[in-house]
Every structure is written in structure tokens, then in C-alpha cells.
Amino acid sequence: MALTRETVVRNLWASSALFVTAAFIAFVVVRSDSAVRVGWVLYWAGWLPPLAALATCAARRESPGAGGVFALVILVAFGLLFWLNHA
């Protein structure tokens, strides 16, 4: 199977779920002060791949589609939940 631009962009959109899951584990399972810091770093790093995919879609004048909306909604929703839990 050839690696196409569409495959790469889809994986960029989906990667936000992996970063959110890793941050959730750091926040909830590990629960140390350093794990909370790592959780925030993982959460903020999770924004980079979807923003790169959004830039790619904008450069090609394409719609991000449902995957893009879903990725950004996950990041915003979990960011709010993480903030409420650690504020």
C-alpha cells in the first residue's frame, strides 16, 4: 500500500486521540506532580499534528472533513476537562 498524502493527513487528525489518552493516563493513573506536568506537555503536543493537518488542508484549499472537526473537538473538550480537574 502506497503512503499517500491523504493517509498522512488522516493519521495526523487521528493522532490527537493518542496524545489525549497519554495525557489522561499521566493525569489520572500516575497522579504525581511531575506526571501532571508531563500530562500538560502531552496535551499541548497533541495540538501540533492536527494543526499541521489543518495547515495542509488550508494550503490545498480542502475541507478538513469530519475527522478534522472530531480531532479539534476532542482536544478542546479534554483540555477543558483536564483544566477543570487540575485548576
Side-chain angles (χ1 to χ4, degrees):
M1 183 171 145
L3 186 66
T4 63
R5 184 196 55 79
E6 182 181 348
T7 304
V8 172
V9 171
R10 284 185 180 179
N11 286 326
L12 287 173
W13 288 127
S15 68
S16 63
L18 297 173
F19 282 98
V20 167
T21 302
F24 179 79
I25 290 170
F27 286 133
V28 176
V29 176
V30 180
R31 289 188 174 185
S32 68
D33 289 337
S34 60
V36 169
R37 284 191 294 271
V38 168
W40 283 116
V41 168
L42 287 169
Y43 169 74
W44 289 111
W47 280 90
L48 297 176
L51 290 177
L54 190 62
T56 301
C57 287
R60 293 185 163 264
R61 298 179 191 221
E62 296 175 350
S63 172
V69 174
F70 185 70
L72 296 175
V73 167
I74 283 177
L75 285 167
V76 169
F78 275 89
L80 179 64
L81 291 172
F82 292 157
W83 177 73
L84 289 173
N85 195 30
H86 294 287

